[in-house]
Amino acid sequence: MNINNSNIPFLDLKAINQEYEDSINETLARKVASGWYILGEEVKKFEQSFANYCGTKHCIGVANGLDALILLLKASEFPVGSEILVPSNTYIASILAISLAGLKPVLVEPDLHTYLIDPKNIEEKINANTKGILVVHLYGKCCEMEEILRIAQKNNLKVFEDAAQSHGAIYKSKKAGNLSDGAGFSFYPTKNLGAMGDAGAVTTNNDELANKIRALRNYGSGEKYIFDEQGLNSRLDEMQAAILSIKLPNLDKENEARQKLARKYLENIKNSKVILPSTEMVEMDAWHLFVVRVEDRQKFREYLTSYKIGTDVHYPVPPHKQKAYHEWNNHSFPISEKIHNEIVSLPLNIALSEVQINYIIDIINLY
């Protein structure tokens, strides 16, 4: 069984971005000729468009997704060392942001069914030093925000979203980025809405928080050469903003293509050795990744590689087992460890043909 002996890559950014090539080239030529490259009209245009898309009052463009979370937490002015609850199953950036903002991350186990922070495990982690919850809409699926917000209100906590993987995901008719006190987005090239370099943004409905973040992203300056606070150099540049503005109008259409592909996988992969992702609210997920679980991940990946099907692992080592957080290395988070030991990401590439998709399904069913 083969499809002309060709490889099926896990992700093909060149193919995905091909339809934008002419528009991007024209826009970049215009921006180069303009002579204005930082915090100009393109950034303002994208900030307004993305705020409108998410349904928030504010969008503040920053250099990358990690900075978006750091700035969101710094602007919230929690006492140094305050505790922020965060899922133990996440990319390390979620946790790094808390540490780099001078706060203490406290890990909370996920739900094995959804891979997302489990609201049932949150309250046992709350104490007098807890100031907030950073949820992560991992793989494009929104967390159970209604229950999380109830817990937060009961305990007088702020709630923030790491929305780096959830552009366009919907929870109870509201989009990710508009479900909390503030959210951090990444526009890394592989994201559903991807730039062609590093880029990020914060969304919020809080005027004071937004104004503070605007100053903090620019060294702490709200007025040229006047620095009221110690900030960062973290500004979305004009080129990336222009590219994001070109691609944003197609985000929902591309998410629908991801949903269609995810649905096809869910309906047609029939192999008891392969645990499929949660099927609730398929049409509401952004489906940044399609993640399955298998007991012998290496064997499964080698099998797919032998048929020239690319895969990836998001993520092989949980944060508490990383050397960067050596103080946690002996801690036990069994659900996260199980997830990180078994997960495999299948191609969820909207440039895939029907022939390629069917081939992937057939090969998996034969495993």
Side-chain angles (χ1 to χ4, degrees):
M1 183 182 294
N2 65 68
I3 48 171
N4 299 324
N5 241 1
S6 60
N7 290 317
I8 299 178
F10 172 71
L11 182 62
D12 188 346
L13 288 177
K14 182 178 178 181
I16 290 172
N17 287 319
Q18 197 164 14
E19 70 172 288
Y20 302 109
E21 189 173 344
D22 290 343
S23 297
I24 288 172
N25 286 338
E26 291 170 11
T27 299
L28 293 185
R30 174 171 52 80
K31 286 311 303 175
V32 169
S34 76
W36 193 299
Y37 309 126
I38 299 288
L39 294 185
E41 291 305 314
E42 291 293 345
V43 170
K44 291 178 184 176
K45 175 185 174 183
F46 174 71
E47 288 176 336
Q48 186 60 62
S49 296
F50 195 64
N52 291 343
Y53 177 81
C54 293
T56 57
K57 289 177 67 176
H58 303 282
C59 168
I60 306 98
V62 299
N64 54 68
L66 175 59
D67 282 1
L69 294 174
I70 293 170
L71 288 164
L72 185 57
L73 292 165
K74 283 178 69 70
S76 297
E77 297 186 325
F78 298 124
V80 172
S82 295
E83 295 183 1
I84 305 293
L85 307 188
V86 63
S88 53
N89 177 47
T90 185
Y91 184 52
I92 200 167
S94 314
I95 296 166
L96 285 173
I98 298 170
S99 298
L100 293 170
L103 307 171
K104 180 182 177 181
V106 175
L107 304 183
V108 179
E109 280 272 63
D111 181 329
L112 184 59
H113 184 56
T114 65
Y115 310 144
L116 306 175
I117 191 169
D118 190 338
K120 295 193 296 294
N121 296 329
I122 289 177
E123 289 203 81
E124 66 188 41
K125 299 282 188 170
I126 296 173
N127 60 49
N129 202 34
T130 309
K131 302 302 179 187
I133 305 169
L134 175 61
V135 303
V136 183
H137 302 314
L138 200 63
Y139 309 145
K141 182 186 294 293
C142 287
C143 297
E144 183 49 65
M145 295 304 294
E146 187 171 49
E147 178 62 11
I148 292 168
L149 290 169
R150 185 195 68 77
I151 293 169
Q153 185 175 27
K154 174 184 172 184
N155 292 278
N156 195 29
L157 304 178
K158 296 288 186 182
V159 178
F160 307 107
E161 301 161 73
D162 181 340
Q165 299 185 2
S166 59
H167 313 72
I170 296 173
Y171 178 84
K172 296 187 183 295
S173 78
K174 295 176 74 174
K175 284 195 171 78
N178 189 25
L179 302 171
S180 66
D181 294 287
F185 283 89
S186 167
F187 303 116
Y188 187 74
T190 59
K191 304 302 185 186
N192 293 32
L193 179 61
M196 291 190 171
D198 275 318
V202 175
T203 56
T204 183
N205 292 306
N206 185 310
D207 296 342
E208 184 179 352
L209 190 65
N211 290 334
K212 195 169 186 64
I213 291 169
R214 287 191 181 97
L216 286 173
R217 74 173 172 182
N218 191 33
Y219 299 100
S221 173
E223 180 182 349
K224 192 171 183 179
Y225 299 135
I226 304 299
F227 305 95
D228 295 329
E229 301 193 56
Q230 298 176 17
L232 305 179
N233 174 15
S234 182
R235 300 169 299 205
L236 176 62
D237 71 66
E238 287 284 282
M239 306 294 189
Q240 300 304 335
I243 291 168
L244 291 168
S245 288
I246 290 168
K247 298 176 76 173
L248 178 57
N250 279 347
L251 177 56
D252 284 345
K253 182 186 76 173
E254 293 187 1
N255 279 351
E256 287 169 8
R258 289 173 178 274
Q259 291 159 359
K260 181 180 177 182
L261 175 50
R263 196 178 304 111
K264 184 151 189 173
Y265 280 155
L266 290 167
E267 292 173 355
N268 293 283
I269 294 176
K270 308 287 185 183
N271 188 323
S272 60
K273 297 183 181 71
V274 179
I275 300 173
L276 298 173
S278 169
T279 58
E280 292 94 349
M281 306 294 284
V282 172
E283 286 75 15
M284 300 293 101
D285 291 357
W287 288 104
H288 174 60
L289 296 169
F290 190 96
V291 175
V292 300
R293 286 181 20 239
V294 290
E295 284 192 4
D296 191 336
R297 175 168 64 205
Q298 183 175 349
K299 180 182 176 183
F300 181 65
R301 294 191 73 198
E302 288 173 353
Y303 167 78
L304 293 180
T305 298
S306 72
Y307 286 95
K308 300 186 176 181
I309 298 171
T311 61
D312 207 339
V313 177
H314 298 85
Y315 304 95
V317 181
H320 71 281
K321 294 297 184 182
Q322 298 285 356
K323 189 175 180 180
Y325 286 96
H326 58 86
E327 65 272 24
W328 293 340
N329 288 175
N330 293 325
H331 292 189
S332 176
F333 292 91
I335 299 174
S336 290
E337 289 161 24
K338 182 176 181 62
I339 291 169
H340 285 258
N341 286 334
E342 296 180 353
I343 52 173
V344 178
S345 298
L346 302 182
L348 194 67
N349 185 342
I350 60 174
L352 290 174
S353 68
E354 283 293 316
V355 171
Q356 290 175 314
I357 296 166
N358 290 331
Y359 175 75
I360 293 168
I361 292 168
D362 289 344
I363 294 301
I364 291 174
N365 284 338
L366 291 171
Y367 174 68

